[in-house]
Amino acid sequence: GENVGLHLPTLSVQEGDNSIINCAYSNSASDYFIWYKQESGKGPQFIIDIRSNMDKRQGQRVTVLLNKTVKHLSLQIAATQPGDSAVYFCAETRSSNYKLTFGKGTLLTVNP
Amino acid sequence: NAGVTQTPKFQVLKTGQSMTLQCAQDMNHNSMYWYRQDPGMGLRLIYYSASEGTTDKGEVPNGYNVSRLNKREFSLRLESAAPSQTSVYFCASSLVLSYEQYFGPGTRLTVT
């Protein structure tokens, strides 16, 4: 079946560096993509989303890039901080419904 | 505001036992959801309630039932627990059917 997956299960960066978390999706009908952050022992927290008619969207210290040609999504975190350490999930959906399909997640560890 | 609250935080059941997981939100949201999260995997939707008085199946509904008690509360019931239902369960809510969902802290359930 169609699914959303991640290239890298773990990522370790130095504090202050930029982080890039990647995600591949296979459902060409998906037109909404979302990134969630999950800290240890907590529920996921919405970070940022992007529609399929956009290539890039920026938030506070985060940027999401969408490449529909290769069905690839990435989350860039600028000046990574220890508080950014968490598991990051990409999710996809269609704007015709609300049902999210989550990827397996990438564990980001920020070293001081 | 407490946001989304879940009880209990932890539970151990024997195979065949039943239990109800409780969820409440104080954000006046219309839609509520139940997910399960298994190790190394993303979240999978069990059931959702678009609005008070309605419930629908998600991706993995077998072995579960839900009740939308009122606008604030959405419960998940396991009638006869099985080891395959060992998981972390998350409740979420959103203003309307939306990908921007607010999650509770989760219930860690073990079935032996």
Side-chain angles (χ1 to χ4, degrees):
Chain A
E2 311 224 84
N3 61 79
V4 177
L6 293 170
H7 292 308
L8 296 174
T10 61
L11 179 64
S12 183
V13 301
Q14 292 298 122
E15 181 177 358
D17 287 351
N18 296 334
S19 303
I20 300 176
I21 300 170
N22 296 304
C23 176
Y25 68 94
S26 58
N27 188 345
S28 57
S30 296
D31 57 4
Y32 241 113
F33 303 89
I34 309 99
W35 283 99
Y36 276 87
K37 172 187 180 183
Q38 186 176 25
E39 297 176 75
S40 181
K42 297 184 179 180
Q45 178 183 8
F46 173 90
I47 303 174
I48 192 169
D49 65 283
I50 188 168
R51 292 178 184 269
S52 61
N53 62 356
M54 301 171 67
D55 297 322
K56 179 179 180 179
R57 190 171 187 207
Q58 290 184 292
Q60 187 176 10
R61 282 203 305 119
V62 295
T63 300
V64 57
L65 299 177
L66 176 62
N67 185 331
K68 295 179 288 294
T69 301
V70 295
K71 296 180 183 172
H72 184 267
L73 188 68
S74 68
L75 178 70
Q76 300 179 359
I77 304 174
T80 312
Q81 302 168 1
D84 294 327
S85 294
V87 177
Y88 289 82
F89 292 96
C90 62
E92 55 93 7
T93 189
R94 306 179 201 180
S95 56
S96 59
N97 69 60
Y98 65 93
K99 296 181 182 179
L100 297 176
T101 299
F102 284 84
K104 291 183 171 57
T106 291
L107 173 61
L108 175 65
T109 301
V110 182
N111 302 310
Chain B
N1 289 348
V4 179
T5 58
Q6 294 183 235
T7 56
K9 293 189 186 302
F10 301 94
Q11 183 71 49
V12 178
L13 293 177
K14 295 185 184 300
T15 298
Q17 288 185 315
S18 62
M19 78 160 296
T20 300
L21 281 65
Q22 306 288 351
C23 173
Q25 52 87 14
D26 62 2
M27 296 176 282
N28 201 34
H29 284 172
N30 291 300
S31 302
M32 298 185 74
Y33 316 79
W34 276 105
Y35 292 88
R36 61 177 288 173
Q37 184 176 35
D38 299 305
M41 297 184 68
L43 285 78
R44 291 183 292 171
L45 182 64
I46 304 172
Y47 270 93
Y48 67 97
S49 171
S51 60
E52 186 178 355
T54 68
T55 61
D56 284 288
K57 296 178 180 179
E59 182 184 354
V60 288
N62 290 346
Y64 305 95
N65 285 300
V66 291
S67 295
R68 183 74 183 267
L69 305 172
N70 47 56
K71 190 173 185 178
R72 291 187 63 249
E73 298 173 288
F74 189 38
S75 63
L76 178 71
R77 182 161 179 83
L78 286 71
E79 290 291 350
S80 179
S84 61
Q85 294 178 304
T86 293
S87 189
V88 181
Y89 291 85
F90 289 99
C91 177
S93 70
S94 63
L95 188 58
V96 293
L97 283 180
S98 168
Y99 52 85
E100 186 171 353
Q101 299 172 12
Y102 295 80
F103 284 80
T107 294
R108 186 174 296 275
L109 175 67
T110 302
V111 183
T112 61

